[in-house]
């Protein structure tokens, strides 16, 4: 029986052994009865019996002059062959169905590789990669110092990792398509080199010089390596794995793009996924595809970065800082299909914003799990916290909130949600429910209410803009967004004057400084707001950010690092040069006045809510001694965007505080850092 089944799988019957006088229809019926493909095979002997007893149905494979009936002798001859055909068809179907089933339904196995202190991942780039054949993971480890780093290799059957010798000061390991070589950047700062070493160990070989710091690399099946650097003059490069001079593949459009990074080959080796970085901090990254043969480029996914192909027809990519999502992807049309799904709540954030995960050609996954930082995509909840530190959930769903502002009447909350859409929403405190205000593909954040609560102003990075500018729109989501500012520098609104005619904001004045300005809200004859450049208010070589106005509109509080660290200062408004008073005594940021004007709140250097009593009688600003209000830190703001936007607010009565609270993911593993290995991960995605 074993030999028979093996012969069925291995080959085809000797059809020439059939009698020459056998009708062609019977030959076809025999072939169909012995067909290995279940979709083409005659499924039941009753079908064959019917065709023999009555008439064989027309077929494109049958002769046109086929006889309509068989003789008694022909039927008898087939009666001998039919049971054998049925036996063979059944046996081959059983074996092939078993084999097909085992291939289609593979068990997903998930396990964690805890990293000992001597092998902690260095957390600078994408520090882990899985071999295309899915049998080994390679990761970068730091030994004594950040500069003293090397490569560890761990097989799926190994109890311990093997540290490669002759390798140091490495960044961004990647693996050849045949799983035999490890490529990496050598050197921690530019200029660096691309090198390679056999995955089983050996002597490193230099591939080429690299003009900048690492920003990703991928090794194609024909030996082409596509890589990216921090070099501002070019995006993606290519070079042969055998060495040579790098060739520039892409040059970013500096009017709209920051850089091209994180390349990853698609199946076939002729197209490469890559990330288009935003021109400004906090802007949305995009995933694009480069055709290496034609040079054509196509953007395929917005508000995403660091994408990799997943067998089965998916793209895995990062949103925010540490969230990995998956979306279906048509490889022929280069288009996404349907909606995305979050599959990993947290991968270890990297200094270059690369995704710390890797997918093999066999559909297995490896990623570094670590503690969440203050990333914008961290899952967060909205909570009330009273002066005794007691929390009360607001009831809004856990989302990637970036900042929150209470409406003037205290009935609604405006939030920016930093997920794939990055839009402005409102939450009704009495009725519940999130209402989406903005729908533009660009990133919208930092909402601010007008004094009458009828409009919201925010910063937006929209298509065609040369910088993040300020827009506003009715707070019920109707109407269209109008642009309020027209300057070429990034701008962020913080507070309106009591009469609603002026908007306080801060903006980038240089690469290292930010200043405070004010926008005059002017309207044209048609009633539409006219975009105007900001009027400078507080300008110096230092960083001045997050200004807030007192309820009477006479005083401005802000953050400045003029002393060498962030502190809170107050000046009269609008005559800001008349005087200046230092408020914080040991560092502080993100000030906000109480609605009654008798307290000024800010965050200490430990992000603890602090208050100062205020007395402005007689036109003089007097401040008391800072006192700590809350003993527990909450989300401070958007430092991960390179900004100091405020994430909290104060209730109208000054007795409660609206806070953003980081929520721990539900699948956290023990230990500060580990590599999670998921075998046959792509099969698990099919069920989801």
């Amino acid at each position: 029986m074993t030999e028979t089944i093996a012969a069925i799988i291995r080959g085809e019957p000797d059809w020439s052994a059939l009698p020459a006088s056998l009708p062609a229809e019977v030959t076809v019926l025999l072939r169909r009865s012995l067909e290995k493909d279940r979709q083409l095979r005659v499924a039941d002997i009753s079908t064959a019996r019917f065709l023999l007893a009555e008439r064989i149905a027309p077929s494109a494979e049958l002769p046109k002059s086929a006889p309509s009936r068989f003789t008694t002798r022909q039927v008898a001859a087939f009666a001998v062959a039919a049971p054998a055909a049925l036996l063979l068809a059944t046996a081959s179907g059983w074996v092939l169905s078993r084999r097909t089933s085992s291939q289609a339904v593979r068990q997903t196995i998930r396990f964690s590789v805890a990293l000992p202190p001597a092998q902690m991942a260095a957390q600078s780039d994408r520090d882990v990669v899985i071999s295309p054949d899915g049998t080994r993971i390679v990761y970068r480890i730091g030994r004594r110092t950040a500069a003293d780093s090397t490569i560890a290799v761990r097989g799926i059957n190994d109890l311990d990792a093997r540290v490669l010798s002759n390798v140091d000061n490495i960044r961004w390991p990647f693996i050849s398509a045949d799983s035999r070589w490890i490529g990496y950047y050598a050197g921690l700062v530019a200029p660096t080199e691309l090198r390679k070493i056999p995955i089983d160990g050996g002597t490193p070989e230099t591939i080429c010089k690299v003009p900048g710091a690492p920003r990703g690399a991928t090794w194609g099946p024909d030996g082409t390596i596509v890589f990216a650097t921090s070099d501002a003059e070019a995006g993606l490069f290519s070079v042969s794995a055998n060495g040579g001079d790098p060739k520039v593949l892409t040059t970013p459009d500096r009017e709209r793009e920051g850089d091209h990074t994180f390349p990853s080959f698609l199946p076939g080796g002729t197209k490469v996924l890559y990330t288009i970085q935003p021109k400004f901090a906090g802007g949305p990254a995009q995933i694009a595809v480069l055709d290496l043969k034609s040079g054509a480029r196509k953007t395929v996914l917005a508000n995403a970065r660091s994408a990799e192909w997943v067998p089965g027809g998916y793209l895995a990519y990062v949103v925010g800082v540490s969230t990995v999502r998956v979306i279906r992807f048509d490889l022929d049309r280069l288009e996404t299909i349907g909606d995305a799904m979050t599959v990993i709540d947290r991968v270890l954030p990297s200094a270059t914003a690369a995704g710390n995960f890797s997918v093999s050609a066999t559909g297995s996954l490896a990623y570094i799990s670590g503690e969440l930082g203050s990333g914008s995509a961290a899952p967060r909840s909205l909570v009330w916290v009273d002066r005794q530190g007691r929390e009360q959930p607001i009831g809004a769903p856990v989302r990637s909130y970036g900042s929150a502002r209470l409406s003037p009447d205290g009935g609604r909350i405006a939030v920016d949600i930093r997920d794939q859409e990055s839009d402005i929403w409102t939450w009704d405190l009495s009725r519940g429910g999130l209402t989406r205000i903005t729908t533009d593909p660009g990133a919208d954040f930092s909402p601010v209410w007008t004094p009458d609560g009828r409009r919201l102003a925010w910063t937006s990075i929209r298509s065609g803009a040369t910088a993040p500018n300020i827009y506003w729109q009715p707070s019920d989501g109707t109407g269209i967004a109008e642009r309020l500012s027209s300057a070429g520098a990034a701008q962020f609104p913080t507070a309106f004057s009591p009469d609603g005619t002026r908007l306080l904001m801060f903006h980038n004045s240089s690469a290292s400084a930010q200043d405070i300005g004010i926008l005059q809200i002017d309207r044209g004859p048609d009633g539409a707001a006219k975009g105007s450049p900001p009027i400078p208010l507080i300008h110096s070589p230092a960083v001045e950010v997050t200004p807030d106005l007192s309820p009477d509109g006479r005083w401005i509080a802000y953050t400045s690092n003029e002393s060498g660290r962030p502190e809170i200062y107050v000046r009269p408004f609008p005559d800001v040069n008349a005087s200046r008073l230092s408020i914080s005594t040991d560092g502080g940021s993100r000030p906000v006045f109480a609605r009654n004007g008798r307290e000024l709140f800010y965050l200490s250097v430990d992000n603890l809510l602090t208050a100062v009593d205020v007395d402005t009688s007689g036109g003089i600003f007097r401040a008391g001694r800072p006192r700590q209000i809350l003993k527990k830190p909450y989300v401070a703001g958007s430092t991960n965007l390179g900004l100091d936007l405020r994430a909290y607010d104060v209730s109208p009565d000054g007795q409660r505080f609206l806070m953003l609270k980081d929520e721990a993911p539900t699948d956290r593993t023990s230990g500060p850092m580990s590599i999670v290995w998921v075998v046959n991960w792509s099969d698990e995605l099919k069920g989801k």
Side-chain angles (χ1 to χ4, degrees):
M1 178 61 75
T2 302
E3 292 180 359
T4 302
I5 293 174
I8 292 170
I9 297 174
R10 186 171 56 244
E12 291 289 328
D14 182 6
W15 299 111
S16 64
L18 291 174
S21 60
L22 195 66
E25 297 94 329
V26 178
T27 301
V28 171
L29 187 56
L30 279 171
R31 285 180 178 270
R32 287 289 184 261
S33 298
L34 294 172
E35 172 62 52
K36 293 179 172 62
D37 189 334
R38 287 187 298 172
Q39 302 298 320
L40 301 177
R41 190 168 62 242
V42 174
D44 194 291
I45 193 61
S46 63
T47 303
R49 181 178 180 181
F50 171 79
L51 292 174
L52 288 171
E54 299 296 330
R55 183 185 299 270
I56 295 181
S59 170
E61 295 185 46
L62 302 183
K64 294 182 179 180
S65 58
S68 60
R69 289 185 178 273
F70 303 117
T71 64
T72 303
R73 182 177 178 181
Q74 290 170 334
V75 172
F78 185 73
V80 176
L86 179 62
L87 172 64
L88 293 177
T90 302
S92 62
W94 178 78
V95 172
L96 292 174
S97 65
R98 293 266 298 191
R99 184 176 62 174
T100 303
S101 175
S102 65
Q103 291 172 341
V105 186
R106 301 180 301 176
Q107 182 180 5
T108 298
I109 303 171
R110 180 179 275 97
F111 56 93
S112 178
V113 179
L115 301 182
Q119 292 186 8
M120 300 304 288
Q123 194 180 355
S124 60
D125 309 297
R126 186 198 67 179
D127 291 324
V128 65
V129 60
I130 189 169
S131 60
D133 62 12
T135 63
R136 286 183 275 197
I137 55 172
V138 172
Y139 55 98
R140 177 181 186 253
I141 61 175
R143 290 180 286 197
R144 293 179 299 275
T145 66
D148 189 14
S149 57
T150 187
I151 294 175
V153 181
R154 183 162 184 159
I156 195 168
N157 293 320
D158 295 340
L159 294 177
D160 298 300
R162 176 169 46 87
V163 178
L164 298 188
S165 58
N166 304 323
V167 180
D168 56 17
N169 292 344
I170 77 107
R171 290 179 65 178
W172 200 288
F174 57 101
I175 302 178
S176 61
D178 61 8
S179 301
R180 296 174 54 194
W181 292 85
I182 300 172
Y184 62 94
Y185 290 80
L188 300 181
V189 295
T192 59
E193 292 182 349
L194 273 184
R195 296 179 185 174
K196 65 179 181 179
I197 187 173
I199 199 167
D200 292 321
T203 302
E205 302 175 24
T206 297
I207 298 172
C208 67
K209 299 287 186 181
V210 175
R215 293 296 183 268
T218 183
W219 194 323
D222 65 350
T224 297
I225 294 174
V226 175
F227 65 96
T229 74
S230 60
D231 180 14
E233 300 302 319
L236 302 182
F237 297 82
S238 70
V239 68
S240 169
N242 295 323
D245 295 326
K247 171 187 175 183
V248 176
L249 295 178
T250 65
T251 301
D253 182 349
R254 295 302 173 187
E255 291 296 320
R256 296 187 296 268
E257 301 174 346
D259 201 357
H260 296 165
T261 61
F262 313 147
S264 180
F265 268 106
L266 285 169
T270 61
K271 296 180 177 64
V272 176
L273 292 163
Y274 67 97
T275 299
I276 301 175
Q277 297 289 355
K279 182 177 180 180
F280 300 99
Q286 302 175 85
I287 302 299
V289 175
L290 169 68
D291 189 317
L292 295 179
K293 292 185 176 180
S294 67
R297 292 185 268 173
K298 181 179 181 180
T299 301
V300 297
L301 193 59
N303 297 318
R305 69 177 188 281
S306 204
E308 290 204 14
W309 167 260
V310 182
Y314 312 95
L315 290 185
Y317 59 94
V318 175
V319 295
V321 172
S322 57
T323 300
V324 177
R325 291 182 177 175
V326 166
I327 193 168
R328 291 180 61 203
F329 187 70
D330 188 315
L331 196 58
D332 296 322
R333 296 188 300 169
L334 300 178
E335 295 177 358
T336 58
I337 304 170
D339 297 324
M341 178 182 68
T342 296
V343 290
I344 307 174
D345 284 326
R346 62 182 186 91
V347 295
L348 186 71
S350 65
T352 57
N356 247 320
F357 75 96
S358 176
V359 183
S360 73
T362 62
S364 292
L365 165 74
Y367 68 94
I368 299 180
S369 176
E371 292 299 327
L372 280 169
S374 57
S376 63
R380 294 166 176 167
S381 60
L382 293 165
V383 296
W384 287 116
V385 184
D386 64 19
R387 288 180 178 260
Q388 288 72 45
R390 294 178 297 227
E391 287 184 8
Q392 178 186 350
I394 285 175
V398 174
R399 296 287 293 271
S400 303
Y401 301 112
S403 62
R405 291 289 185 279
L406 281 164
S407 61
D409 62 3
R412 289 181 292 169
I413 301 171
V415 292
D416 60 62
I417 301 180
R418 309 270 173 83
D419 55 14
Q420 192 166 335
E421 286 76 31
S422 292
D423 283 312
I424 307 297
W425 300 66
T426 60
W427 173 265
D428 192 304
L429 285 165
S430 60
R431 296 184 302 163
L434 282 169
T435 299
R436 188 170 181 172
I437 305 301
T438 64
T439 57
D440 188 87
D444 302 317
F445 48 92
S446 184
V448 177
W449 294 91
T450 56
D452 59 9
R454 295 181 179 179
R455 287 181 173 269
L456 283 166
W458 69 89
T459 288
S460 183
I461 306 173
R462 304 203 166 199
S463 177
T466 59
N469 284 163
I470 299 174
Y471 293 74
W472 76 350
Q473 187 174 337
S475 59
D476 61 1
T478 61
I480 60 173
E482 297 178 286
R483 185 176 174 182
L484 296 181
S485 60
S486 59
Q491 305 159 355
F492 311 97
T494 57
F496 277 92
S497 62
D499 61 4
T501 62
R502 291 171 291 182
L503 177 58
L504 208 58
M505 44 83 72
F506 67 95
H507 60 97
N508 294 338
S509 58
S510 69
S512 59
Q514 293 174 312
D515 293 326
I516 294 172
I518 195 165
L519 282 176
Q520 186 70 38
I521 309 298
D522 296 322
R523 291 182 175 273
D526 58 354
K530 295 190 300 183
S532 58
I535 302 170
L537 196 64
I538 301 176
H539 173 76
S540 78
V543 171
E544 292 108 1
V545 292
T546 61
D548 191 48
L549 273 177
S550 61
D552 60 7
R554 298 174 58 189
W555 305 95
I556 178 174
Y558 63 99
T559 307
S560 174
N561 68 351
E562 61 184 81
S563 68
R565 67 179 178 186
E567 298 281 7
I568 305 300
Y569 298 88
V570 168
R571 297 186 186 222
F573 180 82
D575 187 11
V576 294
N577 294 319
S579 64
R580 187 195 62 169
L581 178 65
S582 178
I583 301 299
S584 58
T585 58
D586 194 22
S589 67
R590 302 171 177 87
V592 57
F593 281 97
R595 301 286 177 92
N596 60 15
R598 294 195 290 269
E599 279 184 299
L600 177 62
F601 300 94
Y602 65 90
L603 298 180
S604 70
V605 292
D606 298 321
N607 289 337
L608 299 176
L609 187 65
T610 305
V612 172
D613 291 327
V614 171
D615 180 7
T616 58
S617 59
I620 300 175
F621 194 96
R622 302 176 182 86
R625 184 183 298 274
R627 65 186 189 281
Q628 182 179 308
I629 299 295
L630 300 181
K631 298 180 179 180
K632 174 182 176 180
Y634 289 85
V635 176
S638 306
T639 54
N640 62 295
L641 295 176
L643 312 172
D644 291 313
L645 300 173
R646 174 166 56 90
Y648 73 96
D649 210 348
V650 183
S651 65
D653 63 4
Q655 299 305 305
R656 296 191 299 175
F657 309 98
L658 175 63
M659 293 293 187
L660 299 186
K661 179 182 177 182
D662 275 324
E663 294 292 340
T666 57
D667 65 343
R668 299 180 67 172
T669 57
S670 61
M673 193 179 298
S674 62
I675 296 177
V676 179
W677 197 334
V678 189
V679 181
N680 299 332
W681 180 57
S682 59
D683 285 52
E684 181 181 75
L685 292 180
K686 296 176 184 177
K688 294 184 177 181

